[in-house]
Amino acid sequence: MLATALTATLAGLQAHLVRVEVEARRGPPTFELVGLAEAAVRESRVRVRSALAQLGVHLSECQVIVNLAPADVRKTGSGFDLAIAAAALGALGAAPRDAIEGALLVGELSLEGTVQPLRGVLPQLLEARRRGVARAIVPRANSAEAALVDGLDVRTVGSLAELLSALCGRSELPRAAAVAETSPARALDDLVDVRGQSAARRALEIAAAGGHNLLMIGPPGSGKTMLARRLPGILPALTNEQALEVTAIHSVAGLLSASRGLSRARPFRAPHHTVSEIGLVGGGDGPRPGEVSLAHAGVLFLDELAEIRRGALEALRQPLEDGVVTISRAHGKATFPARLLLVGAMNPCPCGWLGDGSGRCACAPERIRAYRAKVSGPLLDRIDVHVVLPPVEVAALQGPARGEGSEAVRARVERAAAIQRERHARGEVNAATNAALGPRDLDRVAPLCADGARMLAAAVDRLGLSARAYGKVLRVARTLADLEGAAAVGPAHVAEAIGLRVLDRGALAAAA
Ligand SMILES: Nc1ncnc2c1ncn2[C@@H]1O[C@H](COP(=O)(O)OP(=O)(O)OP(=O)(O)O)[C@@H](O)[C@H]1O
Ligand SMILES: [Mg+2]
């Protein structure tokens, strides 16, 4: 007999529905699986055979053929087991076939027949809903993320025996149950702890307000890591759509636990500087999202930027430009969103003390040049805001004055971000943050007055700004105007934005 079931596979964050057709008849025992299945999917046969045997369903006198359709979609992962086992039960007459058809079934089986949790359940359910599927059955351990998808009857299952009993109408599977959202942990890292460093604080606020990438350069212990960790706390709240996207990415990465619901907190990722290219941008088996995608809608903090492998840094260029990562594979492509805020930190020289006023830096000029050259021009070009941190003065550390808290800064950031979102909603521009504005958007929302234009022309001459850097100055100037609530970009905004291109200005070279 022939029975069919519905399941799904992932290519990046995009799920594709897969129809499982199982034909079973008496004959010499065979178990074939066709339809562009990767090794992990083919292993399914072993698990399904064993799990069925636990139910007393033996395939020792059966010819079983499994076809996965459509044949041109590459099937990856171990989540096909449940659908194959269910369709096999239908094909063998052990369960009613109409109870199996039409429902999305995802889950990996153990040899004993327990249903194991799976990566990527959330995007699979979202795709099923989009395609009009009305029912789904997922592993019980994925209950929390499954409950985020409404408009679909989602049930959870713990074992194949439980599924069989439900398919035969002897019992009912429980609905996916929602758990509390994970909310931003604001109390932990607050800007109130940061003393002095007014320029870096300002740069952090600008970066947060417009979504601009930021580079901090300063001696050891000046507060670079400290400031970067406080950035998520001043970013605007995630929209519902962003929260769902962030949760889906973490689901595909296998980072959601049963107790985690919707991720409301802005991601903060700080990979070690030994991170590989695949670790950073994604790939490998699956493929899995890299740090740039795990940081989507949040912050990617690259400490010790100059120590990161060249290849890994260069691989950042494309996602930083496009806001998505595309991973080419033998059959088609996988894409993950990667619209993130990059924060880099580095010392001004190999020993770290250059320009701190104590004169203890003994780095030779060529070593300093080689150190800086590790962060290539094209990458620097993609960083809108550069800031130099001086050493923290004792007076600032000992004085009574504490810094402004994150709550107050976030209120200003929220206001500036709301202005940008409204411009986008009105259709004036094609991006919801200034950092992502296109060239034509800039003409429309950041036209220069005569003074601003003169100033910028002079800066291009003096600093040799690239066309990309020119656009970045305009984007940052727009953010400065938005922080003030000013309708037009004025000369003061342009001047401050040029001042934030420290590396182009060669200010560090002067310090050397
Ligand atoms: N501006 C500051 N205000 C208050 N404390 C500070 C400040 N800067 C540094 N500190 C103290 O010094 C510690 C180290 O700071 P942090 O790790 O941010 O330095 P860093 O600039 O990242 O140094 P490195 O270059 O070595 O990575 C902090 O945990 C904090 O206790
Ligand atoms: Mg540090």
Side-chain angles (χ1 to χ4, degrees):
M1 247 194 310
L2 181 78
T4 64
L6 202 59
T7 187
T9 190
L10 287 168
L13 199 59
Q14 180 60 51
H16 299 285
L17 295 189
V18 173
R19 202 172 66 254
V20 178
E21 300 167 349
V22 177
E23 166 77 38
R25 63 170 86 96
R26 293 185 71 82
T30 53
F31 196 148
E32 282 185 61
L33 199 156
V34 295
L36 203 60
E38 284 188 349
V41 182
R42 290 198 300 273
E43 286 172 0
S44 184
R45 290 175 298 180
V46 178
R47 295 187 297 266
V48 168
R49 188 191 289 275
S50 169
L52 286 173
Q54 298 293 319
L55 297 180
V57 179
H58 296 280
L59 303 178
S60 48
E61 285 171 14
C62 279
Q63 280 186 314
V64 179
I65 300 172
V66 179
N67 180 38
L68 304 176
D72 60 344
V73 171
R74 190 181 192 87
K75 325 289 186 312
T76 63
S78 52
F80 292 73
D81 297 1
L82 202 61
I84 293 174
L89 286 169
L92 293 163
R97 286 180 293 171
D98 55 352
I100 302 162
E101 268 169 35
L104 180 85
L105 288 158
V106 293
E108 178 187 324
L109 287 168
S110 74
L111 296 179
E112 292 150 358
T114 56
V115 179
Q116 310 290 318
L118 211 62
R119 303 188 290 120
V121 166
L122 177 54
Q124 292 179 345
L125 287 174
L126 291 172
E127 176 64 9
R129 180 176 70 182
R130 198 182 68 79
R131 298 277 300 271
V133 175
R135 293 184 300 134
I137 300 174
V138 305
R140 184 141 309 135
N142 294 111
S143 181
E145 59 176 304
L148 299 174
V149 186
D150 48 15
L152 192 68
D153 181 11
V154 187
R155 305 292 171 130
T156 70
V157 66
S159 70
L160 191 56
E162 210 185 309
L163 179 69
L164 179 59
S165 158
L167 290 175
C168 294
R170 293 195 293 269
S171 61
E172 204 171 319
L173 295 173
R175 283 180 202 283
V179 301
E181 296 175 351
T182 51
S183 53
R186 297 223 185 281
L188 291 176
D189 288 335
D190 199 295
L191 276 173
V192 81
D193 308 324
V194 179
R195 307 260 177 155
Q197 302 302 17
S198 52
R201 278 172 158 275
R202 171 80 175 154
L204 204 68
E205 181 171 337
I206 295 164
H212 302 288
N213 298 326
L214 170 70
L215 177 62
M216 292 188 281
I217 306 145
S222 52
K224 301 184 293 295
T225 302
M226 204 179 171
L227 280 156
R229 291 201 174 281
R230 282 155 180 77
L231 183 52
I234 62 168
L235 284 172
L238 287 179
T239 62
N240 285 334
E241 196 186 334
Q242 284 174 322
L244 207 55
E245 220 171 15
V246 167
T247 313
I249 295 169
H250 287 244
S251 165
V252 172
L255 296 177
L256 287 186
S257 65
S259 59
R260 260 187 76 186
L262 192 65
S263 306
R264 281 280 170 198
R266 292 269 181 184
F268 180 85
R269 303 290 302 183
H272 190 254
H273 62 74
T274 53
V275 65
S276 68
E277 187 178 326
I278 285 181
L280 207 50
V281 299
D285 205 20
R288 304 252 180 163
E291 293 291 342
V292 290
S293 299
L294 295 174
H296 175 68
V299 176
L300 176 66
F301 178 45
L302 297 180
D303 212 349
E304 325 290 350
L305 197 62
E307 305 295 337
I308 295 178
R309 268 172 250 189
R310 186 69 180 242
L313 277 186
E314 296 300 306
L316 272 179
R317 287 162 52 176
Q318 179 263 326
L320 283 183
E321 197 83 352
D322 303 337
V324 301
V325 181
T326 307
I327 300 163
S328 292
R329 320 181 64 219
H331 290 269
K333 290 181 196 147
T335 60
F336 287 109
R339 184 144 320 272
L340 57 109
L341 208 160
L342 174 71
V343 178
M346 63 190 281
N347 295 134
C349 67
C351 84
W353 302 110
L354 179 69
D356 82 330
S358 69
R360 69 182 128 164
C361 171
C363 298
E366 57 271 25
R367 277 194 67 213
I368 298 173
R369 257 196 304 279
Y371 178 80
R372 301 250 179 92
K374 286 188 195 164
V375 184
S376 73
L379 181 66
L380 279 183
D381 227 22
R382 284 166 173 76
I383 300 183
D384 312 15
V385 174
H386 315 156
V387 67
V388 174
L389 286 81
V392 192
E393 293 183 355
V394 180
L397 288 177
Q398 295 180 342
R402 296 177 68 79
E404 190 183 27
S406 292
E407 203 53 52
V409 180
R410 195 168 64 89
R412 289 196 296 271
V413 168
E414 285 276 14
R415 272 198 298 278
I419 293 173
Q420 295 164 57
R421 275 198 307 274
E422 281 156 24
R423 257 199 306 264
H424 184 222
R426 282 198 304 270
E428 283 174 39
V429 291
N430 286 315
T433 62
N434 288 338
L437 292 178
R440 248 169 299 151
D441 293 334
L442 283 176
D443 291 343
R444 219 166 301 134
V445 298
L448 287 175
C449 58
D451 280 349
R454 254 194 308 279
M455 220 182 295
L456 196 46
V460 169
D461 267 357
R462 203 158 23 94
L463 315 174
L465 290 187
S466 71
R468 188 190 280 117
Y470 183 96
K472 295 236 175 261
V473 170
L474 290 182
R475 289 182 185 92
V476 172
R478 182 64 257 176
T479 298
L480 294 169
D482 290 338
L483 272 168
E484 265 177 27
V489 172
H493 306 132
V494 176
E496 187 176 354
I498 293 171
L500 290 165
R501 303 288 316 171
V502 173
L503 292 178
D504 299 322
R505 284 193 291 131
L508 280 172

